Every structure is written in structure tokens, then in C-alpha cells.
Amino acid sequence: MSAAPASHESFTLTRQMAAPPAVVFRAWADPAARTVWSAPSAAVEIVYDAADFRLGGCDVVRCVEPDMPVFAAEVCYHDIVEDRRIIFAESVSRGDERMAAALISVEIVAEGEGSTLTVTLQLVSLDIEGMGSNYRLGWTAALDNLQIWVNEAGAGGRA
């Protein structure tokens, strides 16, 4: 079986949040919160083996789904501006197989009493056919969950 060539893709996802930037930022900064909202479905468990949310820090994360291979991600933070911006690099693998690398920017802008979240992903899929569309689906679902989590937190919910 020959490997598919590396492919490059960029996309941007935007969500309106019914909470101020500080609440949105806190949802990214807190690994316990991320385990709740970043799972793309109820069947997926997000496990942090290491969490170091700071400039220069790195997280090691596993995405566990019953009867499926475990995906691992290493996330390293390159820029963090509290309540405004997070820029990180992410590499995704399954066992010894590198699957993708991405540069991801998260921008949070105050809009009235709420905020606008803009996430831009620059992805390189490594010899994996369809990785780009799977990446987009996973991030879309996670940000939909984040929007629910943040909206509940901003209204006095579980943040």
C-alpha cells in the first residue's frame, strides 16, 4: 500500500459566545474544562497525561473511543495573551504513526456582553487520506460543545 502525499489545508471556525472573553479563555486554560468540551462526541473520552497551559508549555492528550485506535496529540503553546489569544502547535499520532501537524490560533474578541471566538487551523496531513475532513469534523464538534459549555458558564453554569 502506498502512502498518500502530505496535504495542506487551512480553515477558520467562528462561534458567538454568550459569555465575556474571560470565561471563554478560562475554558481553554483549564484542562478539566477541556476534557468536557473538546470531545467531539459522547463516545470519546479526552485524557490529559500532561497539561502545562503556559507560554512554552506542552500538553499530552489521548483521544479514547471504545473499539477504536487511540489517537494521541502533543500540544505546545507558542503565544498566550490572557482573555485574547492562544497560539499552539499540535501533532497527532496513532501509535508510532504520525498523522498530522497543525498550527492553531484562537482569538477571542469582546462583543457586547459576549464574545466572538475565531479558531484558524493550518493543517498538514501526513500520508493519511481524509485526515483534513476528519480534523474539520472533530474541531467543529468540539467548538459546538465549547459554545454550549461557555454559554452555560456565562449564565452561571458549570464553569
Side-chain angles (χ1 to χ4, degrees):
M1 178 170 102
S2 75
S7 62
H8 303 261
E9 182 176 346
S10 294
F11 57 94
T12 299
L13 303 168
T14 303
R15 298 291 185 279
Q16 296 304 124
M17 304 289 178
V23 173
V24 178
F25 183 85
R26 190 171 66 234
W28 287 86
D30 179 3
R34 279 185 271 148
T35 62
V36 174
W37 66 258
S38 67
S41 76
V44 174
E45 179 184 9
I46 302 298
V47 178
Y48 278 84
D49 295 319
D52 189 8
F53 183 81
R54 64 177 175 84
L55 185 61
C58 294
D59 298 339
V60 177
V61 186
R62 288 179 287 128
C63 184
V64 181
E65 187 173 1
D67 302 320
M68 296 293 290
V70 173
F71 290 89
E74 182 176 306
V75 173
C76 294
Y77 298 99
H78 295 281
D79 185 54
I80 298 174
V81 178
E82 188 170 347
D83 300 343
R84 240 181 91 216
R85 182 176 61 234
I86 307 162
I87 299 174
F88 58 95
E90 174 179 83
S91 64
V92 177
S93 60
R94 180 177 53 209
D96 291 335
E97 178 184 27
R98 290 280 180 187
M99 300 182 74
L103 180 63
I104 302 166
S105 66
V106 176
E107 297 186 72
I108 309 163
V109 176
E111 298 284 341
E113 292 183 15
S115 53
T116 299
L117 173 73
T118 304
V119 179
T120 301
L121 297 98
Q122 298 170 325
L123 174 68
V124 180
S125 298
L126 305 172
D127 304 327
I128 305 292
E129 185 109 13
M131 185 67 179
S133 60
N134 290 337
Y135 222 82
R136 184 186 297 264
L137 287 171
W139 272 94
T140 297
L143 292 183
D144 289 346
N145 293 338
L146 172 62
Q147 187 175 32
I148 293 166
W149 190 94
V150 165
N151 291 347
E152 289 177 2
R158 58 184 172 205

